[in-house]
């Protein structure tokens, strides 16, 4: 493989090109009119504009991207995450064009993209699954019987969904029919596929996922877990590896299951198997993501493995460079996603000009970003500015390093979720490791973010007291009958 086209933008395009460069592979960027001067375009050896800003007219145009790749004699296409990365048809078209799709087979993408077919393919393996139906529910009365057997609350999920889209909790039998109809119509309009199924609702789970790597010679390894329970409306905000709740036995068992899931669909490349872990530490297979994930750096930090390099090696037909026994966890990594969103204002997107942009640095700090000072954050794409990753010898060190890195990070021009990241890093439940997927909902309100300013207020109060004591002989007493006008003047 001499030349790779990266069918993506932003930090992940840059991330992929960096590994390609280390391997002596030429890179091709594709870009929209909004990204003409973006770092991924400047970094690439060649770059081609593929259309106007909206993704539907640029980054999602599979056929156009393939024709660019053919024109430039590209050997492989890396899809990154999002956009075309989990589009089986695109992967198929790439392969048909005689270009290597750097990812799994179209068949594996298709099987795992549909939750019911994923359940069906792993059935021959001993993989724990949440009690529920393994086929689409057609008949309401039949479904009600199943729900009663499972016990309420239950969850209705869209088979074509994923990442929380199209899910409905049903607390009691009376609500079942209405909720099911809503779920089906939602699934039809969102995915053009009305198949839904039911599962027991696991009330307070942790979201733990296992990274896997498979080559074309039948070797499959896992690279341990990532803890992704800190989410807001199905958007991950903090991820870490390893998880503070897994015992060595549990890690081994989940790792084995993840490998079996990969084997069940003849998986190739880097993939992620998602599990829920309940409060009794029972784990259940949820779904498999057939792409490189946003949060892959925390796995890279604790294993020392460059996942993109391994994806490329595997796509070239090489054997994995290591076996399971060669892999071990070393240290602890934390990732905070920095979004251009105002956490004080319900996480409203806050796009605009990056007037000042200063990255943190120093030991154990990694910043994966795709912006430079002076750039405009476009409205057309995901508002993620960067991923801030810290590495330490243990969890405590990685948390303290994250606090330090956040304090060094200066972004002016747009509001970011950095203060929210600081809030998480300071929160006793997070620091103790005792949290689940309800962390944000349970502990965060927009007032939480004034906690930093609370500290400042305290300092101001101390200072005022000190001054008052020092100057008490020269201070004149304000008449007690005269009410302060301070508030009124301020209004
Ligand atoms: C669940 C669940 C509880 N019980 N399934 C949300 C994302 C999608 N991958 C699956 N999700 C869930 N499935 C059962 N049977 C709770 C969630 C869930 C969740 C999972 C992981 C991380 C955050 C979450 C937030 C809300 C719900």
């Amino acid at each position: 493989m001499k030349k790779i086209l990266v069918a993506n933008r932003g930090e992940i395009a840059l991330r992929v090109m960096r590994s390609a460069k280390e391997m002596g592979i030429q890179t091709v960027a594709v870009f929209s009119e909004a990204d003409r001067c973006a770092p991924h375009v400047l970094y690439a050896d060649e770059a081609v504009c593929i259309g106007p800003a909206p993704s539907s007219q640029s980054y999602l145009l599979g056929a156009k991207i393939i024709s660019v790749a053919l024109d430039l004699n590209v050997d492989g296409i890396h899809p990154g995450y999002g956009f075309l990365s989990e589009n089986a048809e695109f992967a198929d078209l790439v392969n048909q064009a005689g270009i290597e799709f750097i990812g799994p087979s179209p068949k594996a993408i298709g099987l795992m993209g549909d939750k019911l077919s994923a359940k069906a393919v792993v059935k021959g393996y001993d993989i724990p699954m949440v009690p529920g139906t393994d086929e689409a529910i057609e008949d309401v009365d039949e479904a009600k019987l199943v729900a009663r057997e499972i016990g309420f609350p239950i969850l209705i999920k869209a088979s074509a969904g994923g990442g929380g889209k199209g899910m409905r909790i049903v607390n009691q039998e009376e609500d079942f029919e209405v909720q099911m109809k809503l779920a089906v119509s939602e699934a039809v309009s969102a995915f053009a596929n009305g198949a839904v199924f039911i599962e027991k609702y696991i009330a307070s789970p942790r979201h733990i996922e296992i990274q896997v790597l498979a080559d074309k010679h039948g070797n499959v390894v896992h690279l341990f877990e990532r803890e992704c329970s800190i989410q807001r409306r199905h958007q991950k905000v903090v991820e870490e590896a390893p998880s503070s709740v897994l015992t060595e036995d549990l890690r081994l068992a989940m790792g084995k299951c993840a490998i079996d899931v990969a084997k069940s669909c003849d998986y190739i490349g880097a993939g992620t198997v998602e599990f829920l872990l309940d409060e009794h530490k029972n784990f259940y297979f949820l779904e498999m993501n057939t792409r490189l994930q946003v949060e892959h750096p925390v796995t890279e930090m604790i294993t020392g493995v460059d996942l993109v390099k391994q994806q490329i090696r595997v796509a070239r037909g090489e054997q994995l460079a290591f076996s399971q026994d060669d892999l071990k966890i070393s240290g602890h990594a934390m990732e905070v996603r920095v979004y251009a969103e105002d956490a004080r204002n319900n996480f409203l997107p806050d796009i605009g000009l990056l007037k000042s942009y200063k990255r943190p640095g120093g030991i154990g700090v990694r910043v994966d970003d795709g912006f430079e000072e002076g750039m405009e954050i476009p409205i057309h794409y995901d508002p993620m500015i960067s991923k801030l990753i810290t590495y330490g010898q243990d969890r405590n060190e990685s948390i303290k390093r994250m606090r330090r890195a956040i304090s060094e990070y200066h972004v002016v021009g747009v509001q970011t979720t950095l203060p929210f990241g600081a809030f998480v890093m300071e929160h006793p439940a997070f620091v103790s490791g005792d949290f689940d997927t309800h962390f944000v909902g349970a502990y965060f309100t927009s007032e939480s973010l004034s906690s930093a300013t609370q500290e400042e207020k305290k300092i101001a109060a101390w200072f005022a007291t000190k001054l008052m004591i020092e100057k008490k002989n020269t201070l004149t007493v304000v008449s007690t009958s005269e009410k302060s006008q301070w508030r009124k003047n301020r209004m």
Side-chain angles (χ1 to χ4, degrees), residues 115 119 130-131 153-157 161-165 167 169 197-208 228-236 274-276 284-287 289 436-438:
K115 309 305 154 231
K119 279 178 193 268
V130 188
I154 59 109
L155 202 53
I156 306 179
K157 294 184 174 184
K165 269 179 274 167
M167 289 190 347
I169 301 172
F197 59 97
I198 58 184
E199 277 182 359
K200 177 158 188 60
Y201 178 61
I202 312 288
S204 302
R206 295 176 75 120
H207 175 146
I208 292 178
C228 306
S229 298
I230 310 289
Q231 314 208 358
R232 187 187 163 271
R233 302 193 179 163
H234 303 297
Q235 171 105 277
K236 293 171 187 162
E274 274 186 26
F275 295 96
L276 288 183
Y284 308 95
F285 165 61
L286 266 193
E287 53 191 78
N289 299 318
D436 58 41
T437 51
H438 301 299

Side-chain angles (χ1 to χ4, degrees), residues 144 152 170-179:
K144 264 191 203 166
F152 288 89
V170 187
N171 288 308
Q172 49 195 9
E173 192 169 332
E174 296 85 272
D175 305 338
F176 188 85
E177 194 160 343
V178 173
Q179 291 297 325

Side-chain angles (χ1 to χ4, degrees), residues 290-310:
T290 58
R291 58 172 191 277
L292 183 71
Q293 298 216 183
V294 176
E295 61 272 24
H296 76 276
V298 294
T299 299
E300 297 187 319
M301 303 304 269
I302 63 154
T303 58
V305 172
D306 179 332
L307 287 170
V308 173
K309 211 172 262 184
Q310 293 306 317

Side-chain angles (χ1 to χ4, degrees), residues 140-161:
V140 179
D141 293 321
E142 211 177 294
K144 264 191 203 166
L145 281 177
V146 180
R148 198 181 301 163
E149 228 169 84
I150 295 169
F152 288 89
I154 59 109
L155 202 53
I156 306 179
K157 294 184 174 184
S159 187

